[in-house]
Amino acid sequence: SPESQGVGSLLRDFLLQLARVDAATDSVVGITRCSGWHERVPRMSMEEYIEGHRRGEVSDKILSFHTSRGAQIERILKGVRPGDLDNEGCGVLIRYDLRRRQQVGRTAPLVLPASLTKVDGR
């Protein structure tokens, strides 16, 4: 239910719905981060960590936030998050393929919780 979704989930779903309105938009890209990679360093490179996530061997909360809704992990971007010491400044480029999501029936209408649809307490 929308009431149980967090703000991040609502924002992601809203932006994906908004992007679908433009027929010329085929995909949405973003840069995210890994939430648990720093706990596996130096045993595992970021590349190995992400491959493990793709294969279902590594569970990462932030990557799962995106991949569970259809995002594909494209590649690692070095130096794009210089303040992110846990990820050594790296970001993860993700892409939502909007046409593929529609074809496989993964789209659902966005329903906002009542608390977000009220204006001025009404």
Side-chain angles (χ1 to χ4, degrees):
S1 88
E3 307 296 349
S4 65
Q5 287 187 323
V7 173
S9 296
L10 291 171
L11 181 59
R12 175 203 54 214
D13 293 348
F14 173 75
L15 291 174
L16 291 173
Q17 288 283 11
L18 184 62
R20 283 188 196 93
V21 172
D22 182 359
T25 302
D26 292 330
S27 62
V28 174
V29 296
I31 299 173
T32 191
R33 65 187 303 273
C34 298
S35 62
W37 176 66
H38 66 282
E39 298 165 359
R40 299 196 182 230
V41 175
R43 296 178 298 153
M44 185 179 280
S45 70
M46 184 172 279
E47 290 82 1
E48 292 169 325
Y49 182 83
I50 289 173
E51 267 314 305
H53 174 79
R54 284 183 174 136
R55 290 190 305 265
E57 299 165 359
V58 172
S59 177
D60 185 278
K61 186 171 101 174
I62 296 176
L63 294 179
S64 292
F65 173 83
H66 293 289
T67 58
S68 68
R69 295 294 284 173
Q72 298 296 311
I73 298 171
E74 296 293 320
R75 64 187 172 105
I76 297 168
L77 302 173
K78 296 186 186 229
V80 298
R81 300 176 57 92
D84 187 349
L85 301 179
D86 285 345
N87 284 272
E88 296 181 359
C90 295
V92 180
L93 180 66
I94 57 168
R95 184 173 69 85
Y96 291 88
D97 183 341
L98 300 179
R99 303 302 165 225
R100 185 170 129 324
R101 285 174 49 91
Q102 288 176 339
Q103 291 169 0
V104 296
R106 294 193 64 173
T107 60
L110 177 67
V111 180
L112 293 174
S115 61
L116 293 179
T117 59
K118 294 179 182 175
V119 178
D120 296 327
R122 292 181 262 149

